[in-house]
Amino acid sequence: MIVLKSSDGETFEIEEAVALQSQTIAHMVEDDCVENGIPLANVTGEILAKIIEYCKKHVEGGGGSEEELKIWDKEFIENIDQSTLFNLILAANYLNIKTLLDLTCQRVADMIS
Amino acid sequence: MESSPINRLPPDSLHQIFSSLPLRQIMICRSVCKFFNELLTSQCFTEIISTRPPLNLLALRPPHHHSHRHGSQNIRPYIHVYDPEQNQWYRFNLDFLPFRLPQPVASSNGLIYLWCDSVDSNESSKSLVACNPLTREFKVLPQLGSAWSRHGTVLVDSMNRVMVLTELAALYYSGMVIANQWLKFSSNLPSKPRSPVLMSSSVFALCDVGSPWRSQWKLFSCKLLNLTITHTNWICLEKHEWGDIFDIIKRPRLLRGNGDFKLLMIGGLKSTFSLNPACSTILILRLDLESLEWEEAGRMPLDMYRGFQESSKFKVFGGGDRVYFSAKRMGKLAMWDCWEGWRWIDGVPGYADGLCRGFVFDAKLTMMP
């Protein structure tokens, strides 16, 4: 299990497999500096919770078909407000979670067009 | 006005967002605000986008302006452009060009070529300028006498090679051959080249080898590699099987077809073999340059042709997948799309007598050579 600490002091305990979807965290795990939990100064608890929700869904391989995962993604991304969306992009960028970054950026592109 | 959250995103993410938008949208977003404009015109962004497929547009050539007629300087120079996929007319601003009355004449590889007064405003010289209205970059080619701009046809290809053809001579410019110089060749054609087209490294043109009383058109081609030291090397393309193919078309013109090996020949379909026959419609023939065989590509529906029948002259322009037709006092263009057939285009920007000419403009974010 890995402990993540948000900028506003919340802690989240998650399975390693979930956390490893973030390349940033994966590097830290490799470098073995996760003893006392990982502080994420750039991410608030609210956003981190959303990210963990996404990563949990995606680690299981969706638990269903690719189609079902896409539907879940669509629901996920359409039910967040603009400010959360942009904060998710910033966090996904910082945490280097490619699939989430692609999803959020595409959402903004869709909103623009 | 507080800055929108989108401004706080890192450039990489912004590039990712915008690079998934179609080129059309990106162009629109450039005008939204200064932040977007700087982001979307930056070098690293344009590099990401530069490999996109181009927007297939049609640019209109403005009618011959006599410069002493329009003395006012407050006519902002722009080029009218039509997007056949969206059925929309646009205007691209050319105000980034430091020239008074740029005259667009040709395009290739996302670049538009225009005749401009030379920088030293010498009345008797002009320069061809290559520009990209999307990136607002331009490059001035070496100066030429103004006779070339009055009488020459400008041909350009996707490798930025430029030819200016007149009846007696041809000028050739390629950034690569000899640095920054036009090469001049005299022409060995029997008469004035009509409707020249540059494609797949060859120039094609029609030439009248008949008598003053009766035209006899033949097709000639000249490979760019076959320019000798002093003259162009035109050879006549013909095959016995072609028969009378040139005799059935009145006032034929050539245009590029789609792909590198198709040439289109377009003109009125003569209804008789008399000297000045009426035409039953407009025919589009296609020559396969590999097999040297002709086939019919399309013919104008009769109800469309009625508008053209009345005017003795009509203009044909375009090429590739689409051919456009314009006639006097019509106010609209006819268009033939090789996949989708014939339709009318409305909303043509007004020109004095309704007769306009244009050229294909595949807009993309090409860098200057």
Side-chain angles (χ1 to χ4, degrees), chain B residues 171-187:
Chain B
L171 291 177
Y172 175 69
Y173 178 86
S174 151
M176 301 167 282
V177 172
I178 293 187
N180 226 32
Q181 234 188 46
W182 289 95
L183 301 176
K184 187 169 165 191
F185 302 93
S186 56
S187 174

Side-chain angles (χ1 to χ4, degrees), chain A residues 5-22:
Chain A
K5 297 184 191 162
S6 73
S7 59
D8 45 358
E10 272 187 72
T11 55
F12 298 82
E13 197 174 340
I14 53 176
E15 306 227 346
E16 193 169 299
V18 174
L20 288 181
Q21 288 184 67
S22 153

Side-chain angles (χ1 to χ4, degrees), chain B residues 107-128:
Chain B
S107 166
S108 182
N109 197 26
L111 300 175
I112 293 187
Y113 290 76
L114 314 94
W115 285 113
C116 298
D117 292 328
S118 295
V119 179
D120 57 10
S121 50
N122 184 348
E123 277 299 310
S124 66
S125 65
K126 294 257 188 195
S127 295
L128 260 184

Side-chain angles (χ1 to χ4, degrees), chain A residues 82 86 89-90 93 101-102 105-106 108-109 112-113, chain B residues 5-6 8-10 13 16-18 20-21 25 29:
Chain A
Q82 233 188 55
F86 287 117
I89 294 181
L90 287 166
N93 192 27
L101 193 56
D102 289 346
C105 287
Q106 185 60 52
V108 178
I112 292 178
S113 66
Chain B
I6 201 164
R8 289 187 275 121
L9 293 178
S13 305
Q16 181 169 351
I17 292 171
F18 283 97
S20 67
L21 286 175
Q25 290 286 346
C29 286

Side-chain angles (χ1 to χ4, degrees), chain A residues 3-81:
Chain A
V3 173
L4 302 177
K5 297 184 191 162
S6 73
S7 59
D8 45 358
E10 272 187 72
T11 55
F12 298 82
E13 197 174 340
I14 53 176
E15 306 227 346
E16 193 169 299
V18 174
L20 288 181
Q21 288 184 67
S22 153
Q23 285 297 308
T24 310
I25 295 181
H27 287 321
M28 288 185 185
V29 168
E30 270 174 32
D31 296 343
D32 209 18
C33 37
V34 302
E35 277 290 316
N36 302 319
I38 302 179
L40 300 172
N42 293 353
V43 191
T44 64
E46 185 196 337
I47 300 298
L48 191 50
K50 270 292 183 192
I51 291 188
I52 290 174
E53 184 188 339
Y54 177 87
C55 290
K56 274 189 175 162
K57 185 67 182 172
H58 278 249
V59 78
E60 295 135 26
S65 66
E66 211 178 296
E67 272 300 310
E68 284 175 9
L69 196 57
K70 280 206 172 113
I71 295 175
W72 188 91
D73 278 353
K74 192 165 182 299
E75 281 267 331
F76 177 79
I77 205 76
E78 282 177 7
N79 286 333
I80 54 182
D81 60 40

Side-chain angles (χ1 to χ4, degrees), chain B residues 106-109 111 113 128 130 139 141 153-164 171-178 181-183 197-203 222-227 256 260 369:
Chain B
S107 166
S108 182
N109 197 26
L111 300 175
Y113 290 76
L128 260 184
K139 173 177 163 178
L141 276 59
T153 309
V154 178
L155 304 173
V156 296
D157 75 353
S158 55
M159 293 198 273
N160 305 318
R161 295 181 290 198
V162 186
M163 278 193 87
V164 184
L171 291 177
Y172 175 69
Y173 178 86
S174 151
M176 301 167 282
V177 172
I178 293 187
Q181 234 188 46
W182 289 95
L183 301 176
V197 167
L198 174 57
M199 58 187 273
S200 33
S201 296
S202 289
V203 188
C222 173
K223 283 208 202 332
L224 284 184
L225 298 175
N226 283 357
L227 299 169
R256 297 180 56 125
D260 284 336

Side-chain angles (χ1 to χ4, degrees), chain B residues 214-368:
Chain B
R214 196 185 177 93
S215 294
Q216 173 72 48
W217 296 103
K218 281 193 186 272
L219 180 63
F220 286 80
S221 86
C222 173
K223 283 208 202 332
L224 284 184
L225 298 175
N226 283 357
L227 299 169
T228 70
I229 306 292
T230 53
H231 60 266
T232 54
N233 207 4
W234 293 94
I235 53 171
C236 182
L237 281 185
E238 56 188 342
K239 257 173 97 167
H240 181 70
E241 290 83 357
W242 289 2
D244 293 331
I245 195 130
F246 293 98
D247 289 341
I248 64 174
I249 303 269
K250 188 171 173 185
R251 301 187 70 240
R253 297 99 164 147
L254 297 178
L255 285 177
R256 297 180 56 125
N258 59 340
D260 284 336
F261 299 107
K262 305 276 196 240
L263 186 65
L264 299 177
M265 183 162 74
I266 301 148
L269 175 60
K270 291 183 189 173
S271 42
T272 69
F273 281 118
S274 65
L275 271 173
N276 204 12
C279 292
S280 53
T281 185
I282 296 176
L283 183 65
I284 303 178
L285 293 175
R286 183 189 288 131
L287 175 66
D288 183 316
L289 291 171
E290 291 176 308
S291 65
L292 283 188
E293 281 170 4
W294 290 95
E295 62 176 1
E296 176 172 330
R299 60 174 75 188
M300 190 179 273
L302 292 179
D303 52 344
M304 243 185 178
Y305 180 62
R306 248 172 250 129
F308 292 90
Q309 211 162 12
E310 284 145 21
S311 45
S312 54
K313 285 191 182 183
F314 52 87
K315 293 285 184 190
V316 182
F317 47 94
D321 290 347
R322 298 178 184 98
V323 179
Y324 300 80
F325 301 84
S326 149
K328 284 196 183 189
R329 288 180 295 276
M330 258 177 69
K332 48 188 180 175
L333 299 177
M335 183 185 90
W336 173 78
D337 182 313
C338 70
W339 309 110
E340 298 182 6
W342 297 87
R343 69 171 163 94
W344 289 109
I345 296 172
D346 291 305
V348 185
Y351 287 112
D353 56 7
L355 199 65
C356 50
R357 301 169 296 165
F359 51 89
V360 168
F361 170 39
D362 291 328
K364 54 184 183 170
L365 297 169
T366 320
M367 294 293 158
M368 280 291 130

